Amino acid sequence: MVPESQERIQTAVLVHDSVQTSVDGLVQLVDTDGRTAAATIMPGPAKDGSLGASGTRLALDIPPGKPGEGERRFQVRARTPLAKESPGFAFRAVTDKSLGIWEDDKLVLVYNHGMMSREGVPADRNRSSYVHPLYGLDGEVLTDDFPADHRHHRGLFWAWPHVIVGNSEYSLWDIKGVHQRFERWLVQKTESGVAVLAVENGWHAGERQLIQERVWLRVYRSFANARMIDVELFWVPVYKAVTLRGAEGKSYGGLTLRFAPRPASTISTPLGNGADDLTMTSLPWADLSAQFAGASQPSGAAVFIHPDHPDYPPTWLTRHYGVLCVGWPGVNGRTFPVGVPFACHYRIFVHRGKADAATLERHYAAYLAGCRLNFE
């Protein structure tokens, strides 16, 4: 059953026992009117982010429904590849430290798994395990790395200013005493409509590992003026219990999107297109739109919060200088015991044009509809 949606639904759901697939894993959905939707069996995360059969996903690309149509029901059927079907996506090394995801001939994003440095920036700001650049649909660079005003900001990343383990406190946010380190690739898989990248990292204080981190990125094929990227983050404390806490009076600490330089920005949230920055504000989504270097028109990206996110909707910090920060677990912090996984799921909505609040609400509603999709 697919909830009503006037926007395209791109999502990935756990494979149901009733799903019958062809040898190559290609399937399609067919509704009662004979309309079809693309579907592909792809690897997915188990509850701790590891790779396993329990996490196998059905990646779906469902066209918009008719106005007032309500819920739609599809049957899942096997299909064979088209004669000239192309994967559309590809993984290629950008450097020995960075892996790129291409859609056709355009870079979508670069995941930096090696330790990245910048000439003229102190070595204690070296970092790894983040996305930069993130590209717009016309090839413009949306993100920044090592910006002069905040050298520790790094594209699309996830970090906390207070990481407390026993009697020791570190800052993954500005890389003091703890850093993320690549351990191994879990998945690099492409099909005609989706690419999946999964990686395992560790948080290290010196040579001691504090947390096992698993990152899943799922990139869907772009359409019209949009591209969807799902980000699923999993952590397991492996040494002692870990307390994470956001910045006092601001809440930042968690998923963060730092934007590239641009002359001006419009930040949109469900509260409207305000000129004021927000602190410690609960939001289900936020967007920044601007005219980026080399682009002929405005573009931007939003962060959508999954409805199962802890403390939904979490607090945020937004800054018109160019950053959207999810603040979870926020200023009060939370302690996570050894061996017990916790997770946060998000969607990055990349778009052409200056996205208004109404458009963003429709696409967020489609995201929620995909999250509520279920088998009968």
Side-chain angles (χ1 to χ4, degrees):
M1 184 275 290
V2 178
E4 181 176 6
S5 175
Q6 301 307 306
E7 297 289 346
R8 196 181 199 101
I9 294 176
Q10 292 179 317
T11 192
V13 296
L14 286 172
V15 170
H16 192 269
D17 291 341
S18 64
V19 174
Q20 301 296 315
T21 69
S22 59
V23 174
D24 59 15
L26 297 177
V27 298
Q28 66 178 349
L29 305 185
V30 182
D31 72 4
T32 54
D33 292 333
R35 293 172 297 180
T36 62
T40 308
I41 302 294
M42 295 292 281
K47 290 184 178 180
D48 64 354
S50 61
L51 175 63
S54 64
T56 302
R57 303 290 180 92
L58 185 64
L60 306 173
D61 189 349
I62 302 173
K66 301 174 184 177
E69 182 176 19
E71 296 178 350
R72 289 179 287 167
R73 285 171 167 77
F74 290 83
Q75 289 186 335
V76 183
R77 299 177 183 174
R79 75 174 178 90
T80 56
L82 302 175
K84 296 182 179 181
E85 191 165 59
S86 170
F89 287 101
F91 294 100
R92 301 189 193 109
V94 177
T95 71
D96 61 350
K97 299 179 180 180
S98 303
L99 181 70
I101 300 179
W102 271 259
E103 182 183 4
D104 299 327
D105 60 348
K106 292 183 178 180
L107 255 174
V108 174
L109 60 83
V110 176
Y111 182 82
N112 298 299
H113 55 89
M115 195 60 67
M116 309 301 289
S117 60
R118 179 70 58 86
E119 185 176 355
V121 178
D124 64 2
R125 288 291 188 257
N126 292 357
R127 73 288 298 272
S128 74
S129 310
Y130 63 103
V131 172
H132 173 78
L134 173 68
Y135 291 88
L137 293 164
D138 297 311
E140 70 275 25
V141 174
L142 299 180
T143 54
D144 202 1
D145 199 9
F146 295 95
D149 56 358
H150 296 80
R151 290 298 193 190
H152 51 280
H153 285 186
R154 42 202 190 268
L156 175 65
F157 68 107
W158 36 94
W160 284 262
H162 299 287
V163 179
I164 303 166
V165 182
N167 295 322
S168 299
E169 181 169 345
Y170 313 97
S171 175
L172 190 63
W173 179 263
D174 49 9
I175 322 169
K176 292 183 178 179
V178 63
H179 64 276
Q180 289 153 304
R181 182 188 302 170
F182 170 81
E183 294 183 355
R184 64 186 178 119
W185 301 112
L186 297 176
V187 176
Q188 295 179 34
K189 175 74 171 177
T190 65
E191 287 292 352
S192 57
V194 64
V196 176
L197 175 66
V199 58
E200 186 169 289
N201 305 315
W203 295 13
H204 291 263
E207 292 306 309
R208 182 178 296 282
Q209 183 172 344
L210 306 179
I211 281 185
Q212 184 176 64
E213 174 182 272
R214 297 184 177 107
V215 178
W216 286 74
L217 303 176
R218 186 179 299 104
V219 182
Y220 298 94
R221 190 160 184 83
S222 58
F223 63 92
N225 294 312
R227 172 184 292 129
M228 311 298 179
I229 303 170
D230 285 341
V231 181
E232 297 181 306
L233 305 172
F234 302 82
W235 302 276
V236 184
V238 295
Y239 170 52
K240 294 181 178 180
V242 175
T243 298
L244 302 179
R245 191 172 72 244
E248 295 81 354
K250 299 179 181 179
S251 82
Y252 67 75
L255 187 82
T256 301
L257 184 54
R258 174 61 197 250
F259 288 87
R262 70 241 155 265
S265 303
T266 299
I267 292 180
S268 300
T269 74
L271 302 178
N273 301 330
D276 295 333
D277 292 332
L278 302 177
T279 61
M280 299 175 59
T281 304
S282 296
L283 301 168
W285 58 263
D287 174 86
L288 186 146
S289 297
Q291 185 92 17
F292 291 91
S296 60
Q297 61 179 314
S299 59
V303 178
F304 290 168
I305 306 294
H306 193 284
D308 291 340
H309 193 284
D311 302 325
Y312 176 88
T315 57
W316 292 64
L317 171 83
T318 66
R319 292 291 196 232
H320 281 77
Y321 70 69
V323 70
L324 302 176
C325 306
V326 179
W328 181 83
V331 297
N332 294 321
R334 183 171 297 182
T335 299
F336 303 93
V338 171
V340 179
F342 60 102
C344 294
H345 300 167
Y346 307 93
R347 170 163 289 187
I348 307 302
F349 170 60
V350 178
H351 57 83
R352 283 192 183 96
K354 180 179 176 181
D356 57 64
T359 299
L360 291 160
E361 283 284 10
R362 289 198 308 272
H363 283 285
Y364 185 66
Y367 176 48
L368 295 182
C371 296
R372 296 195 302 269
L373 183 151
N374 62 76
F375 290 92
E376 296 178 332

